[in-house]
Amino acid sequence: MENNYDDDFIGEIVVNEVNFVRKCISAESSQDDLWGKLICTNFKVSFIPQDAPSKQKSKLSHLLLGEHDIPLTCLEQVVTVNDTKGKKKVLGSNQKLKFNPTELILYCKDLRIIRFCFDEAGPESAKKVCLAIAHYSHPADIQLLFGFEYQGRRYHESKGERVNGSTPRGGLQTPIFDRPSDWDREIKRTGASEWRVCAINENYAISQSLPEYIVVPVSLADQDLKQYSIFYTDQRIPLWCWNHVNGSALVRMANINDPLQQKKIDQRVFTAITKSHPQRGEVVRSDLDKCLPNIQDIQSAFVKIRQICVIDPFEESEERWLTSVENSRWLEFVRAFLKHSAEMVYYLDGKNSSVVLQEGEDRDLSCVVSSLVQLMLDPHYRSLVGFQSLVQKEWVMAGHRFLDRCNHLKKNDKEESPLFMLFLDCVWQMMNQYPAAFEFTETYLTVLSDSMWIPLFSTFLFNSPKQRAQYLMDFAKNKAIPQGEDQVVYFPPVWNWSQQLSTKDQTLFNNPMYVGKGAACVQNGEVKTFRRTKKTYSSTMRGTSASQRNGLKGGEEPLPRRGSLLSELKPDFSPVKDESPIERFFRDWFSRPADQQGVLIPLLLPSHVALWKLFFLRWVPEACIPKGGPITAYHKLSQLVDEIEILQSKLRQYKGPSSGSTPLPSPSAPLPDQRRMYFKASSPSDSPTPPDYLSSSFPFTPVGNLCRRGIHGTPISKFLNGARIWLSTETLANDTV
Amino acid sequence: MSVVQVELAVVAPLTALCSVQNLSALRYGAQESLFILDVNLGVISRLETISVHNQGENTKGLELVCKDMRSPRFAYKTEENHPDVVEVLAKHAFPLSHSLPLFAFLYKEQFPVDGWKVYDPTAEYRRQGLPNESWTISKINSSYELCDTYPSILVIPTNITDEDIKRVAVFRAKHRIPVLSWIHPESQATIVRCSQPLVGPSDRRCKEDEHFLQIIMDANAQSHKLTIFDARQSSVAVTNKAKDGGYESESFYPNVELNFLEIPNIHVIRESLRKMKDVVYPTIDEAHWHSAIDQTHWLEYIRLLLSGAAKIADKLESGKTSVVVHCSDGWDRTAQLTSLAMLMLDSHYRTLRGFQVLVEKEWISFGHKFAARVGHGDENHANSERSPLFVQFIDCVWQMTRQFPAAFEFNELFLITVLDHLYSCLFGTFLYNSEQERSAKEVQIKTLSLWSYINSQPEDFTNPFYVDYKHHVLYPLVSSRHLELWSSYYARWNPHMRPQVPVHQTLKELLILRAELQRRVEELQREASSHSLSSSSEHSHSPTHTPGTPLHTAV
């Protein structure tokens, strides 16, 4: 096959291409459309515009994918259309097409919809490209996913760069939990002294879906566990997730198939868990299958919310928007998972009880609930590395079927379900409610969700650690990678973000408001350093908000005697008489100022759960607010934090290495490329106005990513050009008295 | 100042004390000081006695139905020798119905800033570059003879005689002639407001009125067109003809384009907010929260208003064409539309002071009937003149602040405070229906301005994210996807609605941190420079640091 493709990278082969293709940019007219070449490779669908576009500063530039590229794994549906014949066909692999397509519409898993027109292209080559795209996006086997080709080549080509042929996990900070030491560290970190790492599943001898190393109660011997394992679905014996400081543990397990054995084994296991609790706290079991929506419900909710957000004509879905959102049930499910997780927090934190999450296979709903519970209880998981280790521990290693749930091979639609996406949405809800509690931003969550559809990382490709090990062993054999080489080195996880983004772009992951350990803050006007002592931080972070003040400010009054309208309304009204313990726990928690570094419980009324606009609406041009959106506040905050960090580093230089009261650990001034903030402090000469390219979709751009036909320009769509600039009002403003 | 204090023992749902004090607020608080909640008397719409069971003898129930989306209920013990609480409350909650003065006239507070000085129409027009060769600042209405609901100072075209103006006034409802609200600093395109023409069923014409609009068109050299935005539903405008009102016929007004914005009337809006109260207070239906909001149509009307205002702004900005805005009387929807369009077009109105000017100008001076729409101190709660049009406007502003979190100098607390004092009767700002009435009642002399209070502590009402989007026209995205229910206002009295962490709190702390660090850096810098006089090199002060890092990093 000829390879005249410009930007290809190692292992990429052009399968088919067609020239004089028009990529539709605007729904209203074709004058902005781009002309160019449409290419199908073994990795992606690519469009190369004839005229190189001016480099836009406005968006994330991906290191592996160009602006017009779509990885084949990201394709949801390939639709060909013949306008004149009024025909339309959804293409699968190895199919025939009886008409010449005039149009190709690609529905993507990241919610983009992209349209190409073939009015000037050769009909035969257009057809061939369409068929190639459809075929290559339905790989017959997982080994045909491009990652296998790519990582094999990359391994060999970069071999020379490695010192002594070994890169210890590429400097990866995120624990992978594929070795006992990672679990050991987690046991120590959480103080779970009555739990131990158990190796009975080494070489997957017991269970096909559990990791090789698991954590179990000290009082259970390997022999016992082996004996119990035969009764659990897929031999999944109970799996320790996390320990509370008070000694209660979070455990997950599969169902026991044999009802006769169930009581006996349950009793033994629960006794062992109780023994591992310093106060012998009781064990609470939560049967997730009984109280949460199932994976089909979740899939159908996601399909509906996607339908109204990006597929239905914009104007039509404007009517009764909230009702449609409600009918999709997506937010209802998000709430249900958050609510259930918050209840588990009550047992662990409020009642000192250990919690056992039980689910048929323990590989779907459990992943969501166990990781949410840990996010609420443990601030470590709200740091970037901590969050990634959480995903690694509760999803990848716990055997979430990423291959099936993502439907990477498009083999079985019934198995498809966006559980991980649901989890990310729940995380976003918490982030939206506690903007200072997370080290990372919603941009990070969105980029992470997009990474599911790039088949170059081992994280989201497999159903279980065993499957991963097996495929990667075969792969190593095929690619002549020496035995004993670490899989993480030759088929890396997604966590090394420099694989995808520049250092500068990665700073978009940093939340300027994050109050981590070691970060400086202000208390009573004094600069202090955060220490991770529980419940000490009670400044004004969660002060009474406007709504409670009757519209007037309470508290310290600069002006006296305005008593008549002032109110000192506390967040809670009268205690309800027949309140359950769990309600009281929540009420007590909400009546205290929230400690961003302590337990965090989300607000759970429907009015508190919002649609994640960056994720769901970023590709919809009609829904993009030019110069607006939360990013404009982020912009201002980032600049401020950058300025503070420059000042802090200056201070350190003046002081020299001081007594340990330095607010930040890094010893020298941040070099420009080491600065944490994407938006740098502005100099006095800069205009303070946010840059023109900011929009509610930033750092993504909806332009050309979604072109539906039959949309008539709404009056407001004409305004998409956004804010315009006047030149001469300044003089007028100066005349103002 | 006379103070009536009535203390009542209030039993369940709270064992509490209830007192009417200072004639301004009802305070009830629990004895164990669980909480004290003040209900401003001005906010009470009606008092309702309710039946209470199981609370013992001599116990009565009372519900305070409020204008701000709450209805607290009490049970209280009646005692001999005590005046009846309902009577006392009614008297002071509805002073005008009991021949008592509004509380604003009794309220004596000292503020360092005089809010009555915020709005000076001449200064505001001067800021806009007026007068100029086409527009003049006229005193024709200085004694409110031409139009009793208009302000005394009007901006009208230069080339028109007083005689013609009087004829136009006769042809326009309530004599509200077309006058300038805002002029584009570049194109000279203008926003002109008025009331409906009195066309009547027989399609009356008025030569002077047609000429008047022609002059307005001609004052803008950039365009040979004029666009009239009639806020009403077209069907309603037609019906109005039968009632001697109507709309401009495009055939009589050459080069005029007429658009109906299809916005429903005050009664529909009132009903919509009433439904909203049922949705948010005192409990919410969790399973149907979103569809229940949809059914109130509140956000739909917000959308209509914002999109109407965006059309007006776009016509001026992109079309460089002057617009005339009216509804029926030109004091409700017209005020909403012109003020929102001006907020989009002119960044000055997005500042704390500028917004006050906007409200003073487009709403208060141009005769939005606050007294009638709010019903200050009046017990007739069922009066069909009442309607939350100003609330709807503030909601639109809030929607814009949500979409452009950095573009407005004021914060959410400011908007909520303005709405609270729309009802409170504590300040004179929103009292009465017109400038003429206010001047007759000497409001500026006898009462205080809300802006005195606000501007005496502006830091509380300032948005820390604010950056001046100078010269930027901001169009909100008028899509249901971005319009939200303002639950921190409408649902704030719902006991289950817990507030979220305000983001700006963090920013305020960062601002303090920055100031503190800046101070310390400067301090050390001074120290260092005095040291460096005696030492050989600046760098010797940081010997442990990587060489090459400049001591004075440019910021």
Side-chain angles (χ1 to χ4, degrees):
Chain A
M1 249 170 281
E2 194 194 2
N3 187 350
N4 58 353
Y5 178 56
D6 296 340
D7 297 308
D8 71 331
F9 55 98
I10 37 181
E12 191 174 13
I13 301 161
V14 171
V15 176
N16 231 314
E17 59 182 47
V18 56
N19 256 311
F20 308 112
V21 174
R22 183 159 59 89
K23 181 178 175 179
C24 303
I25 295 297
S26 155
E28 279 160 30
S29 78
S30 56
Q31 69 179 41
D32 295 327
D33 290 357
L34 295 173
W35 290 90
K37 190 198 289 184
L38 182 65
I39 301 167
C40 173
T41 78
N42 54 346
F43 168 44
K44 63 183 186 239
V45 176
S46 201
F47 176 78
I48 317 279
Q50 271 168 4
D51 312 305
S54 54
K55 253 281 184 237
Q56 272 180 305
K57 202 188 161 193
S58 61
K59 37 173 276 186
L60 224 49
S61 51
H62 200 278
L63 299 177
L64 303 172
L65 293 161
E67 190 186 349
H68 302 285
D69 292 349
I70 311 150
L72 292 168
T73 328
C74 186
L75 291 176
E76 168 89 32
Q77 229 178 31
V78 178
V79 180
T80 46
V81 180
N82 185 305
D83 247 355
T84 42
K85 292 184 179 157
K87 283 186 175 166
K88 188 176 160 183
K89 185 171 183 182
V90 180
L91 289 180
S93 74
N94 265 329
Q95 274 184 314
K96 290 206 171 84
L97 191 54
K98 287 184 185 143
F99 57 85
N100 285 329
T102 56
E103 233 175 70
L104 170 70
I105 304 172
L106 301 175
Y107 291 85
C108 304
K109 296 205 179 185
D110 62 5
L111 307 194
R112 279 184 290 177
I113 302 171
I114 293 169
R115 192 171 131 226
F116 297 104
C117 290
F118 301 123
D119 28 12
E120 303 287 327
E124 276 307 309
S125 18
K127 192 183 202 171
K128 273 185 193 153
V129 163
C130 293
L131 290 170
I133 291 169
H135 183 71
Y136 277 80
S137 59
H138 291 76
D141 186 275
I142 184 174
Q143 303 254 21
L144 294 173
L145 289 174
F146 180 66
F148 289 89
E149 181 64 27
Y150 171 73
Q151 295 297 4
R153 297 275 201 110
R154 193 197 56 94
Y155 174 83
H156 287 293
E157 288 186 18
S158 63
K159 186 119 190 156
E161 294 161 24
R162 265 169 278 157
V163 189
N164 302 329
S166 78
T167 313
R169 312 205 141 200
L172 200 68
Q173 283 181 303
T174 304
I176 298 299
F177 291 100
D178 57 347
R179 45 181 70 181
S181 56
D182 288 343
W183 290 105
D184 262 331
R185 255 191 302 274
E186 194 65 1
I187 288 175
K188 285 211 184 68
R189 193 184 66 79
T190 58
S193 52
E194 293 299 305
W195 297 81
R196 67 180 180 95
V197 181
C198 158
I200 56 167
N201 201 38
E202 222 161 36
N203 297 315
Y204 308 99
I206 302 284
S207 166
Q208 305 288 305
S209 66
L210 285 181
E212 285 191 274
Y213 306 99
I214 57 173
V215 176
V216 296
V218 168
S219 59
L220 286 180
D222 284 3
Q223 209 43 49
D224 301 331
L225 291 164
K226 274 186 195 156
Q227 194 196 328
Y228 303 157
S229 69
I230 50 172
F231 298 107
Y232 284 98
T233 305
D234 200 19
Q235 289 78 49
R236 286 179 70 101
I237 48 174
L239 200 59
W240 175 87
C241 304
W242 181 78
N243 242 60
H244 193 285
V245 200
N246 67 20
S248 46
L250 179 66
V251 177
R252 52 193 283 182
M253 68 181 200
N255 283 350
I256 294 177
N257 302 316
D258 183 351
L260 294 174
Q261 295 292 335
Q262 191 197 339
K263 209 172 170 192
K264 197 177 81 195
I265 295 168
D266 271 357
Q267 201 184 4
R268 288 189 191 165
V269 168
F270 285 18
T271 308
I273 294 173
T274 306
K275 272 191 194 160
S276 287
H277 195 300
Q279 284 98 50
R280 303 287 175 266
E282 61 166 330
V283 178
V284 176
R285 180 215 310 258
S286 168
D287 190 340
L288 303 182
D289 289 321
K290 291 202 177 114
C291 45
L292 288 168
N294 64 34
I295 61 163
Q296 286 86 18
D297 292 342
I298 294 165
Q299 168 70 4
S300 110
F302 185 73
V303 167
K304 282 185 198 144
I305 191 97
R306 182 180 59 190
Q307 177 79 25
I308 58 167
C309 285
V310 301
I311 299 175
D312 285 346
F314 185 81
E315 267 301 283
E316 279 168 37
S317 48
E318 281 287 281
E319 298 294 321
R320 306 234 147 266
W321 168 255
L322 292 175
T323 307
S324 319
V325 169
E326 181 178 297
N327 291 341
S328 79
R329 305 189 72 187
W330 178 257
L331 293 182
E332 179 190 329
F333 292 167
V334 165
R335 269 180 67 215
F337 275 89
L338 284 168
K339 193 168 181 191
H340 195 77
S341 306
E343 280 168 24
M344 300 303 107
V345 166
Y346 159 69
Y347 290 115
L348 286 157
D349 186 64
K351 283 199 71 186
N352 274 13
S353 307
S354 291
V355 168
V356 174
L357 304 174
Q358 189 173 1
E359 188 197 359
E361 276 201 310
D362 179 35
R363 296 170 74 179
D364 288 309
L365 311 180
S366 294
C367 301
V368 185
V369 175
S370 71
S371 31
L372 285 176
V373 170
Q374 292 173 64
L375 264 183
M376 291 175 193
L377 284 168
D378 191 342
H380 168 67
Y381 296 121
R382 294 176 221 139
S383 70
L384 183 71
V385 168
F387 181 77
Q388 299 186 153
S389 75
L390 183 68
V391 173
Q392 199 60 40
K393 182 161 72 91
E394 299 304 327
W395 292 81
V396 182
M397 281 300 145
H400 178 65
R401 303 169 181 275
F402 277 109
L403 182 66
D404 294 345
R405 298 291 173 257
C406 294
N407 205 6
H408 284 315
L409 304 181
K410 301 184 179 67
K411 283 226 169 80
N412 190 351
D413 291 350
K414 282 191 189 123
E415 291 289 320
E416 187 170 345
S417 185
L419 280 162
F420 190 66
M421 187 46 229
L422 179 83
F423 165 63
L424 294 183
D425 198 331
C426 292
V427 177
W428 180 83
Q429 302 291 344
M430 291 197 51
M431 194 183 262
N432 189 39
Q433 295 185 13
Y434 300 103
F438 291 82
E439 189 181 15
F440 44 92
T441 58
E442 62 171 331
T443 302
Y444 167 78
L445 294 180
T446 314
V447 170
L448 180 59
S449 79
D450 288 346
S451 305
M452 278 200 283
W453 316 116
I454 305 174
L456 304 180
F457 319 109
S458 57
T459 312
F460 304 117
L461 288 187
F462 305 103
N463 279 338
S464 67
K466 186 193 177 185
Q467 193 191 37
R468 168 169 156 272
Q470 217 153 38
Y471 278 120
L472 292 188
M473 222 149 63
D474 294 351
F475 162 69
K477 225 178 272 168
N478 292 341
K479 301 288 173 189
I481 294 166
Q483 284 209 337
E485 191 79 66
D486 190 346
Q487 291 165 3
V488 169
V489 173
Y490 64 75
F491 208 126
V494 72
W495 311 125
N496 180 3
W497 291 101
S498 49
Q499 297 172 103
Q500 292 191 56
L501 299 170
S502 69
T503 316
K504 157 93 179 165
D505 280 351
Q506 283 177 57
T507 57
L508 279 169
F509 294 172
N510 296 332
N511 175 10
M513 274 179 281
Y514 179 56
V515 179
K517 37 181 171 175
C521 83
V522 183
Q523 271 177 316
N524 307 322
E526 271 183 57
V527 183
K528 289 192 177 163
T529 306
F530 278 110
R531 296 268 152 68
R532 230 200 108 195
T533 42
K534 294 238 163 189
K535 311 279 185 237
T536 51
Y537 178 54
S538 58
S539 78
T540 53
M541 298 296 285
R542 220 187 112 86
T544 37
S545 88
S547 57
Q548 296 162 354
R549 290 181 189 149
N550 208 4
L552 280 175
K553 195 184 143 69
E556 354 86 79
E557 279 302 303
L559 297 156
R561 284 186 298 115
R562 227 164 303 102
S564 53
L565 254 189
L566 291 176
S567 66
E568 286 285 318
L569 178 57
K570 296 217 174 99
D572 287 285
F573 280 47
S574 59
V576 186
K577 272 181 192 142
D578 40 2
E579 192 179 40
S580 68
I582 186 161
E583 284 166 338
R584 185 169 331 118
F585 172 77
F586 288 139
R587 189 171 53 78
D588 283 351
W589 191 87
F590 281 109
S591 66
R592 291 189 304 264
D595 174 4
Q596 308 279 329
Q597 285 294 302
V599 177
L600 278 191
I601 297 172
L603 297 154
L604 288 165
L605 284 186
S607 57
H608 295 126
V609 175
L611 182 73
W612 182 10
K613 287 179 196 157
L614 184 69
F615 178 81
F616 285 104
L617 300 176
R618 64 189 154 139
W619 306 123
V620 184
E622 298 94 328
C624 174
I625 311 169
K627 287 195 171 284
I631 192 73
T632 53
Y634 175 88
H635 172 259
K636 167 96 181 188
L637 260 180
S638 302
Q639 287 187 321
L640 192 53
V641 168
D642 188 53
E643 196 178 335
I644 288 171
E645 287 177 356
I646 290 170
L647 288 171
Q648 279 173 334
S649 84
K650 272 194 192 177
L651 262 181
R652 271 192 303 275
Q653 281 173 0
Y654 284 121
K655 280 184 172 170
S658 65
S659 54
S661 67
T662 17
L664 278 174
S666 80
S668 62
L671 298 169
D673 60 335
Q674 285 174 348
R675 279 152 78 175
R676 279 195 320 129
M677 291 298 122
Y678 186 83
F679 298 107
K680 307 287 188 269
S682 58
S683 69
S685 59
D686 288 350
S687 155
T689 321
D692 281 344
Y693 56 76
L694 289 191
S695 77
S696 58
S697 291
F698 184 87
F700 310 94
T701 166
V703 177
N705 279 309
L706 183 82
C707 289
R708 292 177 298 254
R709 287 197 301 171
I711 293 173
H712 299 291
T714 63
I716 211 66
S717 68
K718 290 186 189 127
F719 302 147
L720 281 172
N721 301 336
R724 274 150 260 207
I725 293 178
W726 299 340
L727 296 167
S728 62
T729 26
E730 220 167 348
T731 40
L732 287 172
N734 289 341
D735 288 342
T736 320
V737 181
Chain B
M1 172 167 51
S2 64
V3 173
V4 179
Q5 275 229 6
V6 187
E7 294 211 343
L8 297 152
V10 176
V11 290
L14 299 159
T15 308
L17 285 172
C18 170
S19 63
V20 183
Q21 32 174 259
N22 297 352
L23 298 183
S24 93
L26 171 70
R27 160 171 288 193
Y28 54 91
Q31 269 155 345
E32 315 89 68
S33 75
L34 268 173
F35 70 86
I36 289 175
L37 174 64
D38 289 333
V39 179
N40 176 270
L41 292 188
V43 88
I44 297 173
S45 171
R46 67 173 198 270
L47 300 163
E48 202 128 295
T49 49
I50 49 172
S51 62
V52 279
H53 306 289
N54 312 325
Q55 300 295 346
E57 279 178 42
N58 301 328
T59 305
K60 283 184 174 177
L62 172 65
E63 178 174 1
L64 307 176
V65 181
C66 295
K67 296 168 181 173
D68 66 346
M69 316 286 278
R70 59 179 154 163
S71 306
R73 293 166 167 227
F74 307 88
Y76 62 97
K77 285 217 194 301
T78 50
E79 281 168 51
E80 282 174 47
N81 312 327
H82 260 297
D84 181 44
V85 68
V86 180
E87 230 167 77
V88 178
L89 268 178
K91 199 165 143 193
H92 297 294
F94 313 119
L96 295 188
S97 306
H98 294 85
S99 311
L100 287 171
L102 287 163
F103 187 73
F105 290 91
L106 306 172
Y107 182 57
K108 301 284 176 250
E109 179 65 74
Q110 299 287 324
F111 291 106
V113 180
D114 182 4
W116 292 124
K117 297 214 166 90
V118 162
Y119 179 54
D120 170 357
T122 321
E124 165 58 16
Y125 290 123
R126 190 160 63 236
R127 185 190 70 86
Q128 294 187 22
L130 297 167
N132 61 20
E133 72 264 24
S134 312
W135 295 92
T136 182
I137 295 176
S138 160
K139 298 232 156 48
I140 188 168
N141 199 38
S142 57
S143 52
Y144 309 105
E145 273 175 357
L146 178 77
C147 171
D148 58 0
T149 59
Y150 261 2
S152 58
I153 292 176
L154 298 172
V155 175
I156 54 173
T158 319
N159 300 322
I160 193 147
T161 64
D162 285 6
E163 280 316 299
D164 281 359
I165 288 177
K166 281 172 189 157
R167 287 206 189 89
V168 173
V170 174
F171 188 62
R172 290 277 166 180
K174 309 283 193 302
H175 296 187
R176 294 172 68 95
I177 60 164
V179 295
L180 179 142
S181 271
W182 190 78
I183 183 162
H184 194 290
E186 280 192 342
S187 67
Q188 307 284 297
T190 49
I191 298 179
V192 170
R193 60 182 291 173
C194 57
S195 60
Q196 65 179 337
L198 299 178
V199 169
S202 58
D203 281 325
R204 262 194 307 269
R205 293 180 66 171
C206 171
K207 188 161 56 58
E208 292 79 8
D209 193 71
E210 289 162 20
H211 181 56
F212 199 103
L213 293 198
Q214 182 68 46
I215 291 174
I216 291 168
M217 190 189 316
D218 293 344
N220 169 17
Q222 304 265 357
S223 171
H224 300 295
K225 277 198 179 330
L226 184 72
T227 305
I228 298 175
F229 286 99
D230 188 326
R232 298 168 295 184
Q233 288 154 317
S234 48
S235 56
V236 174
V238 173
T239 332
N240 258 294
K241 276 174 118 178
K243 295 184 249 167
D244 224 29
Y247 52 89
E248 295 81 357
S249 157
E250 286 179 23
S251 48
F252 300 154
Y253 293 82
N255 300 318
V256 163
E257 177 191 295
L258 181 67
N259 288 301
F260 291 103
L261 295 176
E262 307 291 336
I263 300 170
N265 64 23
I266 61 164
H267 311 294
V268 176
I269 304 303
R270 179 181 58 238
E271 189 54 19
S272 173
L273 194 65
R274 193 198 57 71
K275 283 187 198 150
M276 184 66 83
K277 183 173 178 176
D278 294 341
V279 173
V280 300
Y281 187 92
T283 54
I284 66 168
D285 175 359
E286 296 201 15
H288 302 104
W289 166 254
H290 292 99
S291 48
I293 294 171
D294 260 351
Q295 277 154 23
T296 68
H297 299 280
W298 182 258
L299 291 177
E300 188 184 318
Y301 302 142
I302 294 282
R303 188 155 71 104
L304 276 176
L305 264 185
L306 280 171
S307 93
K311 281 176 194 163
I312 293 169
D314 186 54
K315 188 57 89 178
L316 260 85
E317 179 63 20
S318 313
K320 295 183 165 54
T321 300
S322 293
V323 300
V324 172
V325 185
H326 70 70
C327 43
S328 294
D329 293 320
W331 52 42
D332 291 316
R333 285 164 282 191
T334 302
Q336 291 178 319
L337 289 166
T338 56
S339 52
L340 285 172
M342 286 156 75
L343 201 61
M344 294 172 195
L345 287 163
D346 191 338
S347 64
H348 176 65
Y349 299 126
R350 302 194 285 257
T351 64
L352 188 62
R353 289 301 192 100
F355 187 77
Q356 297 167 13
V357 169
L358 184 69
V359 170
E360 284 282 352
K361 180 176 179 314
E362 289 305 296
W363 288 83
I364 298 169
S365 85
F366 274 98
H368 172 69
K369 301 200 291 174
F370 279 104
R373 297 289 175 254
V374 175
H376 292 129
D378 175 52
E379 66 184 356
N380 185 8
H381 61 85
N383 192 327
S384 68
E385 282 277 287
R386 292 194 187 179
S387 187
L389 280 252
F390 188 71
V391 176
Q392 205 190 8
F393 160 70
I394 295 290
D395 191 329
C396 290
V397 177
W398 179 81
Q399 304 285 351
M400 285 185 69
T401 64
R402 293 286 291 177
Q403 296 194 16
F404 302 102
F408 292 83
E409 194 188 16
F410 46 86
N411 59 19
E412 187 179 36
L413 179 65
F414 170 74
L415 296 177
I416 291 178
T417 304
V418 168
L419 286 185
D420 279 338
H421 293 289
L422 170 68
Y423 301 123
S424 76
C425 299
L426 197 56
F427 299 103
T429 303
F430 295 116
L431 301 184
Y432 302 108
N433 286 329
S434 66
E435 195 177 286
Q436 186 192 29
E437 278 182 44
R438 270 183 289 273
S439 110
K441 302 281 181 183
E442 298 179 290
V443 165
Q444 295 215 3
I445 297 160
K446 292 183 174 163
T447 74
L448 293 164
S449 163
L450 169 60
W451 317 127
S452 302
Y453 164 64
I454 300 260
N455 296 336
S456 295
Q457 41 195 352
E459 61 285 351
D460 288 343
F461 303 106
T462 306
N463 168 18
F465 294 126
Y466 176 62
V467 280
D468 188 0
Y469 281 56
K470 228 179 202 171
H471 321 316
H472 279 105
V473 180
L474 292 183
Y475 297 111
L477 199 76
V478 191
S479 155
S480 307
R481 286 154 170 79
H482 287 292
L483 298 182
E484 296 164 66
L485 179 72
W486 187 10
S487 34
S488 47
Y489 176 70
Y490 299 113
R492 64 183 160 150
W493 304 117
N494 183 319
H496 303 286
M497 289 282 176
R498 295 191 169 95
Q500 302 199 357
V501 187
V503 174
H504 54 80
Q505 204 71 49
T506 310
L507 188 68
K508 273 203 170 142
E509 296 191 356
L510 288 173
L511 285 166
I512 298 170
L513 180 63
R514 180 178 64 175
E516 171 65 18
L517 290 172
Q518 200 121 41
R519 190 184 61 76
R520 277 162 58 184
V521 169
E522 276 159 22
E523 219 175 75
L524 288 165
Q525 236 157 6
R526 270 198 304 277
E527 228 172 86
S529 62
S530 65
H531 259 276
S532 64
L533 292 175
S534 53
S535 65
S536 54
S537 124
E538 276 193 341
H539 286 271
S540 63
H541 287 286
S542 50
T544 53
H545 290 294
T546 41
T549 314
L551 195 58
H552 299 283
T553 322
V555 182

